[in-house]
Amino acid sequence: MKDKINKLLSAIQEISINTTAELDEFRLKYLSKKGEINNLFNDFRNVSAEERKEVGQLINNLKQLAQDKFTTVKESLLYAQAVDVTEDYTKSSEPLNTGSRHPISQTRREIVEIFSRMGFTVAEGPEIEDDWHVFSGLNFPEEHPARDMQDTFFINKSPDILLRTHTSSVQVRTMEKNQPPIRQIFPGRVFRNEAISARSHCIFHQIEGLYIDKDVSFADLKQTLLIFAKEFFGPDTSIRLRPSFFPFTEPSAEMDVSCSICGGKGCNVCKYTGFLEILGCGMVDPNVLEASNIDSKQYTGFAFGMGIERITMLKYQIKDIRYFFENDIRFLKQFSKF
Ligand code: DAH
């Protein structure tokens, strides 16, 4: 009898119960009316008087153990059903608001991506510059108005240390370090001493492009910019080049794209002209090449520069440049899907 009780005891201790079906099986086998433990009580009648007390105690202990096991397992199975155990309990109970890239960063990436498919690599230069890289090395005459305190933020006068007014300065840095072929774009932040309004800001971003090699022609410039315009504004976009002037290019041009809002028919965004001005460009002036020790007899090149804020405003019809700098979530989150 004692042997039987001990065997049942270790069986109950060792059994593992993982499902409600297994738990039911356990109950039937040990705890039901016709179960093993009740059967022991039936056999109890045959136990001798001296052993009764001890054996009775053993059977009661066994029954207690089986019952305890049953209730503990039942509770834990019920708990597991109530809460999905595959749930991640380290997760925050607050909904998480993820940020998104700033529209200016998105446009910069998009432009970089388009030009890198055409073989342009990316380089950057310093925001604090000297006169040579921003003006003199780019063929600006001494008396040019851009050199005026009214247009440029100076940090120091003679020697002139200033905040770059355009990313064309990185052209000069690239040309003094590398010989052609050069095919690069230079994104970055620029600074101008201008009153802040809906249309202009004293801090904004530009992307400059430079391509110098043997036999680079104006046709290459036009085709490169046409591909860019179609990729950025859509395949139906056409371009128009108007003669212009920049000290560092000859000839120089300004490029317009057909208005993506009205498709060139004329609307209030393009002021009924059908076109929007997006960038300045031209063939690099031989003086600029020579100033950086590039042989202008052997090499020619083109350059272009565009404002990132401006083309973002045109693409998404943003009416005020100041939105880009205010970090108002209501403005920024409209760009989170891009
Ligand atoms: N640097 C000019 C600006 O800030 C833009 C520009 C025009 C860049 C013509 C060029 C260019 O490379 O060829 O307005």
Side-chain angles (χ1 to χ4, degrees):
M1 181 84 184
K2 278 195 215 159
D3 252 14
K4 200 173 174 188
I5 296 173
N6 282 333
K7 267 193 197 132
L8 279 176
L9 191 79
S10 42
I12 290 171
Q13 273 166 342
E14 275 157 32
I15 195 166
S16 96
I17 308 166
N18 299 308
T19 61
T20 40
E22 282 171 5
L23 183 66
D24 217 35
E25 220 175 277
F26 176 84
R27 186 185 59 80
L28 282 172
K29 187 163 184 200
Y30 297 107
L31 292 166
S32 65
K33 261 196 176 144
K34 286 180 185 156
E36 305 251 10
I37 296 173
N38 253 0
N39 286 346
L40 287 176
F41 284 112
N42 297 338
D43 296 347
F44 190 60
R45 280 180 232 126
N46 310 327
V47 175
S48 64
E50 313 85 76
E51 282 190 321
R52 279 201 162 217
K53 197 176 172 204
E54 192 194 348
V55 173
Q57 193 71 51
L58 287 174
I59 300 176
N60 276 332
N61 285 349
L62 182 70
K63 191 173 180 185
Q64 194 59 49
L65 177 83
Q67 244 154 13
D68 285 351
K69 180 145 189 164
F70 178 80
T71 32
T72 336
V73 173
K74 188 176 173 183
E75 272 167 17
S76 68
L77 285 175
L78 279 177
Y79 178 76
Q81 265 168 7
V83 288
D84 182 356
V85 283
T86 59
E87 204 45 65
D88 177 2
Y89 295 115
T90 61
K91 241 164 135 179
S92 164
S93 57
E94 303 290 322
L96 289 176
N97 281 323
T98 48
S100 58
R101 264 177 223 289
H102 192 281
I104 295 303
S105 306
Q106 290 183 29
T107 303
R108 189 192 55 215
R109 289 177 135 214
E110 210 178 320
I111 299 170
V112 166
E113 204 253 321
I114 294 168
F115 280 104
S116 47
R117 277 192 265 128
M118 290 192 268
F120 286 78
T121 55
V122 180
E124 283 181 25
E127 292 177 348
I128 299 173
E129 268 292 10
D130 50 28
D131 173 274
W132 174 257
H133 293 95
V134 179
F135 299 126
S136 300
L138 285 165
N139 202 33
F140 275 79
E142 259 331 302
E143 69 290 355
H144 195 282
R147 292 172 172 239
D148 207 299
M149 297 277 269
Q150 257 140 32
D151 296 292
T152 305
F153 288 116
F154 283 90
I155 291 171
N156 190 54
K157 266 284 189 193
S158 58
D160 285 354
I161 305 294
L162 44 100
L163 297 179
R164 67 179 177 194
T165 55
H166 54 183
T167 42
S168 306
S169 55
V170 196
Q171 278 189 32
V172 182
R173 292 204 170 262
T174 295
M175 287 188 289
E176 56 193 18
K177 271 191 261 118
N178 305 290
Q179 280 296 308
I182 296 170
R183 204 191 302 181
Q184 285 197 307
I185 49 169
F186 317 110
R189 193 159 59 155
V190 299
F191 308 84
R192 281 188 201 172
N193 195 356
E194 278 191 44
I196 298 171
S197 70
R199 310 200 60 207
S200 64
H201 209 288
C202 55
I203 303 174
F204 57 101
H205 299 79
Q206 288 188 329
I207 289 199
E208 184 81 12
L210 179 68
Y211 180 22
I212 305 173
D213 204 346
K214 285 179 181 143
D215 303 322
V216 175
S217 70
F218 201 90
D220 297 318
L221 166 65
K222 192 175 170 188
Q223 190 62 20
T224 305
L225 294 179
L226 176 64
I227 289 174
F228 164 72
K230 284 180 180 290
E231 292 285 315
F232 188 81
F233 290 103
D236 297 331
T237 310
S238 58
I239 62 168
R240 180 172 81 173
L241 289 163
R242 284 177 291 105
S244 184
F245 175 79
F246 299 101
F248 36 93
T249 43
E250 183 58 38
S252 304
E254 266 162 315
M255 185 175 99
D256 302 339
V257 289
S258 54
C259 178
S260 50
I261 309 302
C262 60
K265 286 190 204 75
C267 66
N268 61 351
V269 175
C270 61
K271 305 210 177 66
Y272 300 94
T273 60
F275 281 94
L276 301 163
E277 183 199 318
I278 66 154
L279 57 80
C281 58
M283 300 306 291
V284 181
D285 194 302
N287 291 342
V288 172
L289 297 175
E290 296 295 340
S292 294
N293 292 321
I294 291 177
D295 183 359
S296 64
K297 305 254 169 346
Q298 223 191 329
Y299 296 108
T300 52
F302 66 71
F304 56 87
M306 65 185 104
I308 303 183
E309 278 78 1
R310 179 166 171 79
I311 75 165
T312 310
M313 287 170 80
L314 293 174
K315 187 164 180 173
Y316 302 113
Q317 291 186 61
I318 297 162
K319 296 261 160 21
D320 195 319
I321 195 171
R322 291 171 289 198
Y323 285 131
F324 293 121
F325 303 92
E326 284 167 357
N327 285 333
D328 186 330
I329 292 289
R330 290 168 301 177
F331 171 71
L332 296 176
K333 78 177 174 198
Q334 296 176 61
F335 299 88
S336 59
K337 56 189 177 296
F338 297 113

